Amino acid sequence: MAESKDKPGTGRHANRISSILVTQPKPTNDVSPYFSIAEKYGIKVDFREFIDVQPVSYKDFRKEKVNILEHTAVIFTSRNAVDHFFRICQEAKLEMPAEMKYFCISEQTANYLQKYIVLRKRKLFVGQRTAVDLFEVIKKHKTEKFLYPCSDIRKDDIPEFMRANGFKFTEAVIYRTVASDLSDLSDVKYDCIAFFSPSGISSLFINFPDFEQNGTRIAAFGPTTAKAVIDAGLELDIEAPHPNAPSMTGAIEAYIRHHHSPDVGKEKNKSGKQSA
């Protein structure tokens, strides 16, 4: 976890975190770790997407002249990519052949793929978490012709790897990522804001060009998001994943325990009030 040089309980870290803004959609169930943090530490946790995903129409997709069925494998790096790929397939009235292979960046993405197809183990290949992990899997399938459905804003790592290693692949933009309108948050302050992509950082400054961090703690998931935080001139306080906290919620809780353990997490008595 990235820490500032301030010691626990000193400097900008001295103020207790009492509110967190998570720049993702609110979880659809009540068992999210965010709700556990809210209850355990008496913290207000709000959710707000900082980016909007807009579909590329089938008409515009056709202009790219991408023949999906000419490919033998598809690379998925997100749920959005899965959703919009099969939306395009449905509008094109295409059915994926049984021999099509799928390469997913993580188990989470692979599990989500089952929403659309019945998975066969010999046709599914999964990375551990990052694109680099997935590259090791892809290297074993050099004869495939890959399709990479993605957003208009995406990392360069996959295309660069495919070109550098001589793979046959086609990149297809099937959705666009734009900044959400956050004007209603102009007068709202949070002690911590959690970001999950460089696009989220961009959206912050598109909406609030004069944003000043002051005492707000910034949390970032993934190395590219962390780099975007630093490049924007912000101080990175909480970074995930790391060995002791593979999730954003784990990293946030570790920060709270490290900096504010004497002041937070007091157990509530039966009447719902915090004990002294």
Side-chain angles (χ1 to χ4, degrees):
M1 179 172 66
E3 300 281 3
S4 80
K5 294 180 180 179
D6 290 340
K7 295 179 180 180
T10 65
R12 60 195 303 277
H13 299 274
N15 293 329
R16 177 185 182 274
I17 289 180
S18 59
S19 61
I20 300 173
L21 178 61
V22 180
T23 61
Q24 284 189 327
K26 184 176 181 178
T28 55
N29 56 59
D30 295 329
V31 296
S32 168
Y34 288 108
F35 299 140
S36 298
I37 288 177
E39 173 66 22
K40 186 174 182 180
Y41 298 101
I43 293 174
K44 175 186 177 184
V45 179
D46 290 338
F47 299 87
R48 180 66 178 274
E49 291 183 88
F50 270 40
I51 57 174
D52 284 333
V53 173
Q54 299 180 347
V56 167
S57 69
Y58 177 55
K59 179 180 178 181
D60 288 341
F61 174 77
R62 289 181 61 187
K63 294 178 182 178
E64 296 187 49
K65 297 182 179 180
V66 174
N67 186 334
I68 293 175
L69 296 183
E70 282 185 350
H71 300 82
T72 60
V74 185
I75 299 172
F76 289 120
T77 59
S78 70
R79 291 185 178 189
N80 282 327
V82 173
D83 283 336
H84 288 283
F85 174 77
F86 284 99
R87 172 185 58 81
I88 290 290
C89 289
Q90 183 179 30
E91 293 181 22
K93 298 181 180 178
L94 296 178
E95 185 173 341
M96 289 297 97
E99 61 270 19
M100 183 68 78
K101 295 180 180 180
Y102 302 94
F103 292 76
C104 297
I105 198 166
S106 66
E107 286 286 352
Q108 186 179 35
T109 304
N111 291 335
Y112 189 71
L113 185 58
Q114 297 181 73
K115 177 180 177 181
Y116 294 96
I117 60 172
V118 176
L119 296 178
R120 296 173 174 83
K121 289 185 178 180
R122 63 189 179 88
K123 302 297 181 183
L124 177 66
F125 306 91
V126 185
Q128 294 298 314
R129 187 184 299 273
T130 67
V132 174
D133 298 326
L134 188 59
F135 294 160
E136 296 303 314
V137 180
I138 292 175
K139 285 178 181 178
K140 302 175 183 178
H141 300 270
K142 288 197 172 183
T143 60
E144 305 296 339
K145 187 173 182 181
F146 291 88
L147 178 63
Y148 174 40
C150 59
S151 167
D152 60 327
I153 300 175
R154 52 96 180 116
K155 301 176 186 176
D156 295 329
D157 49 3
I158 290 178
E160 288 179 354
F161 167 82
M162 301 299 279
R163 284 191 287 266
N165 289 274
F167 283 95
K168 295 179 180 179
F169 88 105
T170 304
E171 184 177 329
V173 175
I174 56 173
Y175 64 98
R176 297 185 176 91
T177 305
V178 299
S180 300
D181 180 3
L182 306 173
S183 55
D184 58 304
L185 295 179
S186 59
D187 295 323
V188 181
K189 307 298 181 184
Y190 288 91
D191 299 318
C192 178
I193 306 177
F195 291 95
F196 299 83
S197 71
S199 298
I201 302 296
S202 297
S203 178
L204 173 69
F205 285 98
I206 288 173
N207 280 275
F208 310 110
D210 300 323
F211 175 80
E212 294 183 5
Q213 184 174 359
N214 297 322
T216 300
R217 268 53 61 90
I218 300 294
F221 189 88
T224 57
T225 308
K227 183 177 184 298
V229 170
I230 296 168
D231 289 347
L234 301 174
E235 181 175 345
L236 179 59
D237 302 287
I238 304 168
E239 185 175 359
H242 62 85
N244 295 326
S247 67
M248 177 64 89
T249 50
I252 289 174
E253 185 166 12
Y255 175 92
I256 292 171
R257 287 177 174 171
H258 180 66
H259 288 280
H260 310 302
S261 55
D263 303 312
V264 300
K266 296 177 181 179
E267 295 184 0
K268 295 181 179 179
N269 58 32
K270 293 181 179 180
S271 65
K273 298 180 180 179
Q274 285 190 333
S275 60

